[in-house]
Amino acid sequence: MSHERAGDEIELRHGDLAVRVSRRGAAVTAATYRETPFLVAAGGPDGVMANFAMVPFGNRVERNAMSFAGRAYTFQPNTSDPLYRHGDGWLGFWQLDEASVEHAKFSFSRIADKVSPYAYLTRQQIRVAGDSLVLTLSVENRGETTLPFGLGQHPFFVRTPETKLTIAADRYWNERPDHLPDVPGPVPDDFDFRSGKLLPQKWMNNAFEGWNRRAAIAWPELGIQAALKAEGALDRFMLYMPTDRNDFFCLEPMSHLPNGHHLPEFGGLTPLAPGEAFAGKVTIDLSALPLPSEGR
């Protein structure tokens, strides 16, 4: 069986796992396990992305400006948000370099311009293997000077009333009114998921540090569960839960903190000299979860 195309989309399949991907943003637009969705199309510029890559870094840049190695750089807004957000990859049309029924490889390059000073080549491979969805993202500095780079994945996981999240972190950043991180501190009880618990019914848009790169999500009503593993540069994560929708939440493995350009040690952003590259991988492993009993 060859891969299927629908416009700019490709469907990948292996066993009980089916994933639809798009050249726009190298995004996942749908993902099901045993025909049950575990990602929701709720993100991206048109709200049709269920996961997108954040490159050459994620989140926002305060004042749309940064300085690095004694030089000042500026950005321009790339969406309706007043601050440049999530890089360029999620907004761009990627080249499809390779595809089969079980994987797709995309690449995207840009030159520096007035919107962003970053010139780079990025590659994303989306693969289904066994019962796992594997996302591998890399970026290479194609500019003329060293700049601080970052990577991240932005999946929109299904949220049900009984969704249970298990994830541990040592440090939590609270949020300023402009959606930028404020100060770090211990993880508050409401957002402490180390022993596994239901998602809180409140706004959440926070960065976490000091995790073991593992997370577990259980959907008892759906009878499925996911084990997430991050590798490579992805040693931080964001949790995003809006209050205007309750059908999804975002668990975003990232290589750096939001607004890292304005934080000590650049918040984990990685300086890359011209020609240097780095990468991160996220594996989401699906399996069956026993359905709750019918009240016997």
Side-chain angles (χ1 to χ4, degrees):
M1 174 183 173
S2 62
H3 56 274
E4 300 173 16
R5 295 170 183 264
D8 296 316
E9 295 197 344
I10 298 166
E11 186 170 78
L12 311 178
R13 282 187 174 273
H14 186 279
D16 292 321
L17 195 56
V19 177
R20 191 167 285 278
V21 300
S22 171
R23 288 181 60 191
R24 190 162 301 281
V28 174
T29 57
T32 61
Y33 178 69
R34 297 186 172 181
E35 301 184 349
T36 299
F38 61 92
L39 297 179
V40 178
D46 302 315
V48 297
M49 295 179 178
N51 178 80
F52 59 80
M54 296 182 283
V55 63
F57 55 86
N59 222 274
R60 296 167 171 84
V61 182
E62 188 173 2
R63 300 188 304 276
N64 285 329
M66 71 168 188
S67 10
F68 184 76
R71 289 185 59 183
Y73 299 90
T74 59
F75 299 84
Q76 289 190 1
N78 56 352
T79 67
S80 58
D81 193 285
L83 297 179
Y84 175 89
R85 186 163 63 113
H86 291 327
D88 322 284
W90 67 309
L91 302 174
F93 202 71
W94 295 49
Q95 180 174 316
L96 178 64
D97 296 323
E98 191 178 306
S100 74
V101 69
E102 295 181 356
H103 85 283
K105 289 183 177 180
F106 299 94
S107 61
F108 173 81
S109 62
R110 80 181 304 279
I111 58 173
D113 57 20
K114 62 184 181 180
V115 175
S116 166
Y118 283 79
Y120 59 90
L121 168 67
T122 180
R123 300 184 190 275
Q124 166 119 300
Q125 177 177 257
I126 302 173
R127 183 165 57 95
V128 290
D131 289 328
S132 298
L133 168 61
V134 185
L135 307 161
T136 306
L137 179 66
S138 67
V139 65
E140 176 191 335
N141 184 356
R142 287 286 181 93
E144 298 176 354
T145 187
T146 300
L147 285 178
F149 280 76
L151 292 172
Q153 297 287 353
H154 200 309
F156 294 76
F157 287 102
V158 165
R159 179 173 185 171
T160 62
E162 298 300 319
T163 298
K164 183 179 179 182
L165 173 64
T166 306
I167 192 168
D170 294 337
R171 197 154 77 146
Y172 154 95
W173 287 75
N174 64 4
E175 185 189 22
R176 290 168 14 189
D178 55 7
H179 300 312
L180 296 174
D182 189 10
V183 294
V187 179
D189 288 345
D190 278 353
F191 301 151
D192 184 355
F193 300 98
R194 76 184 79 185
S195 300
K197 68 178 182 183
L198 300 179
L199 303 176
Q201 298 292 327
K202 57 171 60 178
W203 170 267
M204 190 174 186
N205 185 34
N206 300 92
F208 295 80
E209 297 182 277
W211 73 313
N212 65 358
R213 305 181 185 218
R214 301 288 189 275
I217 306 165
W219 296 278
E221 305 100 317
L222 306 180
I224 62 174
Q225 58 189 345
L228 182 146
K229 177 174 71 171
E231 298 175 81
L234 304 173
D235 56 4
R236 293 165 175 84
F237 67 90
M238 289 280 294
L239 283 176
Y240 171 58
M241 302 176 201
T243 51
D244 61 338
R245 289 184 64 164
N246 61 8
D247 61 332
F248 75 84
F249 74 100
C250 297
L251 164 54
E252 308 159 37
M254 295 177 64
S255 68
H256 62 96
L257 295 168
N259 198 33
H261 297 86
H262 294 275
L263 295 175
E265 300 176 345
F266 288 92
L269 289 164
T270 301
L272 294 181
E276 288 186 334
F278 78 132
K281 181 164 80 170
V282 173
T283 301
I284 304 170
D285 187 48
L286 284 301
S287 59
L289 182 71
L291 285 167
S293 64
E294 297 296 328
R296 292 190 192 179

